[in-house]
Amino acid sequence: RVFDTFPLSKLKFISYAIECIEMYEDGKIAIIPISHKVVQDMAVGENESDGLSSLPRTIEGVEVGVVLMEREPGHVKVSLRSNRYVDVSKVASTFGGGGHIRASGCILDMDIEQAKQKIIEALKPLIVKGDGI
């Protein structure tokens, strides 16, 4: 029961996040950007955002899933997850972060749109075009 029950606020937040998914690079990159305004308006705590980072990479055809969470204005937490071939730890380390090959993160001190563009530009050269590797 502990693992199968969630507050309604968490489910509403996940629903909102799903509606916000943006696709790039022919569907190989999926990004969920969550602005500071949304964090405030929905009172998003750590519990509501737990597990969100794995959600975008579950979309068929996606290699890298990204969650951008602006907890404070101009301070974006970036969570990167990959499926098969992109080493997201290299991307995270470029921005002073770290982690593992398939799960990494970093903090970007810029607004959420700038952060999204920086992450997309860093990921583009790592994405294999076509149906895969």
Side-chain angles (χ1 to χ4, degrees):
R1 183 163 163 80
V2 170
F3 297 107
D4 292 334
T5 337
F6 304 102
L8 181 58
S9 60
K10 180 172 182 163
L11 293 179
K12 285 183 177 185
F13 174 65
I14 291 169
S15 174
Y16 173 83
I18 290 169
E19 289 295 320
C20 292
I21 293 172
E22 300 174 4
M23 305 298 287
Y24 298 92
E25 293 301 298
D26 297 323
K28 301 286 186 187
I29 300 171
I31 298 179
I32 299 176
I34 307 293
S35 71
H36 177 63
K37 181 177 180 349
V38 169
V39 170
Q40 281 190 315
D41 290 351
M42 295 187 82
V44 177
E46 290 297 324
N47 290 339
E48 282 80 16
S49 62
D50 281 349
L52 188 63
S53 59
S54 293
L55 184 64
R57 73 169 187 83
T58 64
I59 300 167
E60 185 176 357
V62 168
E63 171 57 22
V64 180
V66 181
V67 174
L68 304 172
M69 180 79 66
E70 190 177 33
R71 292 228 172 253
E72 297 295 328
H75 189 77
V76 180
K77 179 182 176 187
V78 180
S79 298
L80 301 150
R81 303 291 184 268
S82 69
N83 280 322
R84 295 186 299 159
Y85 61 87
V86 173
D87 181 348
V88 291
S89 69
K90 290 180 180 177
V91 175
S93 68
T94 300
F95 299 107
H100 304 281
I101 291 171
R102 300 284 173 252
S104 295
C106 58
I107 302 290
L108 298 178
D109 290 322
M110 58 188 69
D111 73 44
I112 196 160
E113 285 302 314
Q114 290 172 312
K116 181 168 53 175
Q117 291 310 311
K118 291 277 187 192
I119 294 298
I120 291 169
E121 289 306 313
L123 287 170
K124 272 184 183 182
L126 305 176
I127 297 298
V128 173
K129 302 296 181 190
D131 290 332
I133 40 182

